[in-house]
Amino acid sequence: MPLDCGCKNTTFFNPPNIFAKIFLFFFKILEIPPQNLIFAAMKTIKDIYKIGVGPSSSHTMGPQKAARIFNDRYPNAASFEVTLYGSLAATGKGHMTDWAIINSLQAPTEIVWKPDIILPFHPNGMLFKAFDAEKKLLGEWQVFSIGGGNLAEEGKTDESPEVYPLSKMTDIIKWCGETGRTYWEYVYEYENQKEIEDYMMEVWQVMQAAVERGLQAEGVLPGPLHLSRKAATYHIKASGYTHTLKSRGLVYSYALAVSEENASGGVVVTAPTCGSCGVIPAVLYHLSRSYDFTDQRIIRALVTAGLVGNIVRTNASISGAEVGCQGEVGVACSMAAAAANQLFGGSPSQIEYAAEMALEHHLGMTCDPMCGLVQIPCIERNAYAAARALDSNIYSTFSDGFHRVSFDKVVEAMKETGKDIPSLYKETSQGGLAKEFEQE
């Protein structure tokens, strides 16, 4: 909590932020990975919301980003070879991983698929190699796509700055109680408010555009499933129902619209991933149109949702290849529930309860996309999760915010559950629905 001399808006220093930097400095000297510490600071919430093309943040956006980095390192290479491991190799073709890499490397590229080799650091491993005209190796780089379009290297610490000294919801709720403020104000305490608001406005505009494009688009999505778009039909049918059913039908249509745009390679926002990008836009688009919430209030709701997603990313994972769909659609539902509850005036405890409930009831959800495409069951799950987010908001609103299982405990349980889920059900398309479809 900031200490001051009693003069309004006069802050001499912020102990949590100072201590965080001191601790991190010494831990870095001792070469202790941040994830192994009891104390852990968080990075910017901008990392939760990335604007890019679908269909997958981990299988498309991450590899594309890595390929561009490697291409810049070896601009004169005559050829490249990229080996994909684990989940990236198992479902890479359906997720357009090879397309994303080949189109980002400015020389002939060979893709080597090794789905049976899962590297210890993360299931989404890549090995880039650059060669000269005589096939002499110029250099290589092993990197991992860890979810949400983010990259990591084994044995290397992420050098991006730590922003938030607190990384647990329980501690942030305590901060809210001590200061009389709420989650979005916690974000503004440690990030530049104007920069965050400007970025969130861009995010909100992209989300709205994805909804509106998706509602107008019709036809069949790309890929062997020949799946027809449903957003436009659901939107039209919703208008024929009474208020309650109409409201739910509209939410479905908005989530379908964004998810179908993602599946067709359209521009979307990771929230927190491409595979779960339809949940938050559906909820916020619906509420903004139904209740005339201003853009400023929507932006604050997005900030709160981003903080929720950031807590999960810091303490567990948002990668389907690492923890299953509970880390994608489950976290998106949690983020959307928190955003909705804030819009309707929820207290910090009620917001936390809405987020906890939404994530808790997605524990154990597998990631088993048919044909490796972000279509079945992914698109439908986004629509269903958007509805569950609104239900979590209502349930929490009726409560006083008190409950036995904290959000932080559910995040821990999600992480452990993710470890226990077999790789067959973690974005490899080798089990579950994907296997049943292949047997037809």
Side-chain angles (χ1 to χ4, degrees), residues 6-17:
C7 301
K8 189 176 181 180
N9 295 329
T10 304
T11 301
F12 286 105
F13 68 100
N14 190 322
N17 207 21

Side-chain angles (χ1 to χ4, degrees), residues 188-265:
Y188 290 165
E189 179 76 10
Y190 294 101
E191 297 216 44
N192 184 288
Q193 181 174 341
K194 186 178 186 309
E195 289 181 5
I196 287 294
E197 288 181 340
D198 288 347
Y199 185 72
M200 290 302 156
M201 177 57 75
E202 182 182 4
V203 163
W204 176 226
Q205 289 170 347
V206 173
M207 285 181 170
Q208 293 177 90
V211 171
E212 290 158 7
R213 285 198 315 274
L215 290 176
Q216 295 300 317
E218 296 179 274
V220 178
L221 294 171
L225 293 177
H226 307 299
L227 187 67
S228 297
R229 288 177 178 258
K230 299 180 178 67
T233 302
Y234 271 62
H235 191 257
I236 293 169
K237 286 183 177 180
S239 62
Y241 287 95
T242 57
H243 176 73
T244 302
L245 290 177
K246 178 179 180 179
S247 176
R248 187 53 54 96
L250 289 174
V251 172
Y252 289 154
S253 72
Y254 301 148
L256 291 171
V258 179
S259 296
E260 288 169 358
E261 280 296 289
N262 175 66
S264 62

Side-chain angles (χ1 to χ4, degrees), residues 5-186:
C5 62
C7 301
K8 189 176 181 180
N9 295 329
T10 304
T11 301
F12 286 105
F13 68 100
N14 190 322
N17 207 21
I18 292 173
F19 295 151
K21 291 178 179 178
I22 293 173
F23 289 154
L24 288 172
F25 173 75
F26 283 109
F27 287 138
K28 188 172 183 180
I29 291 176
L30 295 172
E31 296 184 347
I32 301 175
Q35 61 267 30
N36 292 340
L37 308 176
I38 296 175
F39 170 87
M42 291 194 298
K43 302 181 185 302
T44 175
I45 64 166
K46 291 179 183 177
D47 286 346
I48 294 295
Y49 300 115
K50 289 187 174 67
I51 299 170
V53 297
S56 172
S57 51
S58 60
H59 285 56
T60 311
M61 291 175 63
Q64 183 179 62
K65 179 180 178 181
R68 288 173 177 171
I69 292 172
F70 195 69
N71 188 80
D72 290 343
R73 291 181 183 177
Y74 300 97
N76 298 318
S79 64
F80 295 99
E81 178 187 283
V82 183
T83 303
L84 303 178
Y85 299 95
S87 174
L88 278 182
T91 58
K93 290 182 180 179
H95 287 72
M96 298 164 52
T97 305
D98 50 346
W99 172 88
I101 291 173
I102 291 171
N103 282 273
S104 300
L105 295 172
Q106 298 176 3
T109 302
E110 179 187 1
I111 304 293
V112 180
W113 308 86
K114 293 189 176 182
D116 296 330
I117 300 178
I118 300 175
L119 301 178
F121 183 75
H122 194 279
N124 290 336
M126 297 173 278
L127 178 61
F128 287 82
K129 292 183 178 181
F131 301 93
D132 64 14
E134 283 73 42
K135 277 292 182 178
K136 179 182 178 182
L137 181 66
L138 298 175
E140 61 182 34
W141 181 40
Q142 186 177 83
V143 64
F144 299 83
S145 181
I146 60 173
N150 297 299
L151 301 173
E153 296 180 65
E154 186 173 7
K156 288 191 177 182
T157 304
D158 186 352
E159 297 297 329
S160 58
E162 306 286 357
V163 176
Y164 303 98
L166 305 176
S167 65
K168 296 294 181 71
M169 184 75 85
T170 303
D171 296 327
I172 298 173
I173 288 179
K174 184 178 179 182
W175 180 92
C176 291
E178 291 173 344
T179 62
R181 292 186 279 178
T182 190
Y183 300 109
W184 61 268
E185 291 174 290
Y186 176 75

Side-chain angles (χ1 to χ4, degrees), residues 248 279 283 287 329-342 344 346-347 349-362 384-401 403 407:
R248 187 53 54 96
V279 182
V283 170
L287 295 181
V329 167
V331 175
C333 184
S334 182
M335 293 167 65
N341 198 262
Q342 177 179 295
F344 286 111
S347 67
S349 293
Q350 288 174 316
I351 294 169
E352 184 265 354
Y353 190 15
E356 178 275 329
M357 198 181 322
L359 183 57
E360 176 186 347
H361 298 299
H362 280 89
Y384 198 68
R388 294 182 80 174
L390 291 173
D391 289 340
S392 296
N393 160 59
I394 294 171
Y395 194 101
S396 179
T397 298
F398 284 140
S399 79
D400 60 3
H403 57 110
F407 178 79

